[in-house]
Amino acid sequence: MTTADFLWQPPLDWRTSTLLGELCAHMGASSFEALLEISLREPQRYWSAVMTHLQFQWRTLPRQYVDLTQGPAFARWFPGGRLNWVDNVLAHAYGPRATQAAIVTETEDGRISTTSYASLAKEVLHMACRLRTLGIAAGDRVGIMMTMGAHAAASLIALSAIGAIAVPLFTGFGPDAAGARLKLADAGLLLASRRYQRRGRIIDLKPTLDALQEQMAGLRIVIHDDGAENPSTIVDLSSRPTEPLSAF
């Protein structure tokens, strides 16, 4: 295949302004092929530059980029390194990308909303703080039965931030299907939407949640209601910390 076979190519200034283009310039590579050659010839230098350029947020730096002592089929990438992926998401909230869109949500009825990195970080920090007041810690299992959107994403990120394990549940599940999964995971808390829209109809989740609590007497449920004046009808989520969150 030659360049004549391409239907379209991005302009040179577009290519050089991408993260890949910037990495090529940083490493002195004139093209992607040259960058690939560097990665094969000097992998340690290449991966070090990638981690620096992409601003990996390591808690503990890895000893090397890969450990092949057990053979290539059992490669251990970045041995000794420790990170929480949430740090890499929230890092954008405190820099030049703070006002850029992190999440764009479109509802079934066509409403579009945008959540910036800064707003997402505030939502994550506020949710993680309240989860901690409920006693949720690293290793705990928490169900998420929420409509897709910014609040669901923030809840998932908040759970990861404190090291908890999310148990995703389809909002269309009945109480038996949801309860079976929560019991298998030994989940003690459920984050749920109050209602959701499907094919033009508003579906009320309250009967399902009531039935779940009858099945699991010890289950605590936090309900988020986008249409309510106070969206969290079981737990007060009004306070919002401003300091960065430490996941572990």
Side-chain angles (χ1 to χ4, degrees):
M1 179 178 290
T2 67
T3 55
D5 298 314
F6 298 153
L7 295 178
W8 177 82
Q9 280 190 317
L12 180 60
D13 59 333
W14 287 19
R15 286 176 286 176
T16 56
S17 63
T18 63
L19 286 173
L20 181 59
E22 292 172 355
L23 180 62
C24 285
H26 175 72
M27 300 202 68
S30 58
S31 64
F32 173 76
E33 290 74 19
L35 183 67
L36 178 61
E37 176 61 28
I38 292 175
S39 73
L40 297 174
R41 187 178 65 251
E42 303 175 77
Q44 189 66 43
R45 173 181 167 235
Y46 169 79
W47 283 108
S48 177
V50 167
M51 289 188 290
T52 300
H53 186 65
L54 297 182
Q55 300 177 355
F56 279 23
Q57 304 295 311
W58 291 102
R59 298 293 179 86
T60 304
L61 288 172
R63 296 187 300 273
Q64 58 190 103
Y65 80 97
V66 66
D67 179 359
L68 296 176
T69 55
Q70 301 298 318
F74 302 97
R76 293 180 60 244
W77 290 91
F78 308 111
R82 183 178 175 84
L83 57 76
N84 186 318
W85 67 273
V86 176
D87 293 341
N88 293 275
V89 174
L90 300 189
H92 298 308
Y94 309 105
R97 300 178 65 184
T99 60
Q100 290 185 13
I103 298 174
V104 178
T105 302
E106 182 175 359
T107 60
E108 187 178 275
D109 58 7
R111 288 176 296 153
I112 298 176
S113 61
T114 301
T115 304
S116 68
Y117 281 106
S119 296
L120 176 63
K122 289 179 180 179
E123 186 70 18
V124 169
L125 293 171
H126 126 71
M127 191 64 192
C129 179
R130 302 316 299 164
L131 286 168
R132 281 177 166 171
T133 65
L134 291 171
I136 301 301
D140 290 341
R141 276 75 69 196
V142 177
I144 299 183
M145 194 175 189
M146 304 179 70
T147 57
M148 295 298 290
H151 191 78
S155 299
L156 174 63
I157 297 171
L159 288 171
S160 293
I162 60 180
I165 301 169
V167 182
L169 299 169
F170 174 45
T171 52
F173 280 159
D176 292 338
R181 288 159 174 79
L182 291 170
K183 290 174 185 176
L184 283 172
D186 193 24
L189 181 70
L190 173 64
L191 307 178
S193 295
R194 175 67 172 81
R195 58 179 63 85
Y196 64 95
Q197 186 176 25
R198 178 171 296 161
R199 297 181 180 177
R201 295 193 304 128
I202 301 298
I203 310 298
D204 190 358
L205 279 176
K206 185 67 162 55
T208 299
L209 300 178
D210 288 343
L212 272 174
Q213 282 202 308
E214 289 182 8
Q215 289 184 20
M216 303 176 65
L219 180 68
R220 294 174 296 171
I221 301 178
V222 175
I223 298 177
H224 177 78
D225 188 350
D226 288 313
E229 186 174 333
N230 178 8
S232 296
T233 59
I234 292 182
V235 179
D236 177 17
L237 300 178
S238 58
S239 62
R240 292 173 178 264
T242 56
E243 70 277 9
L245 178 69
S246 176
F248 300 115

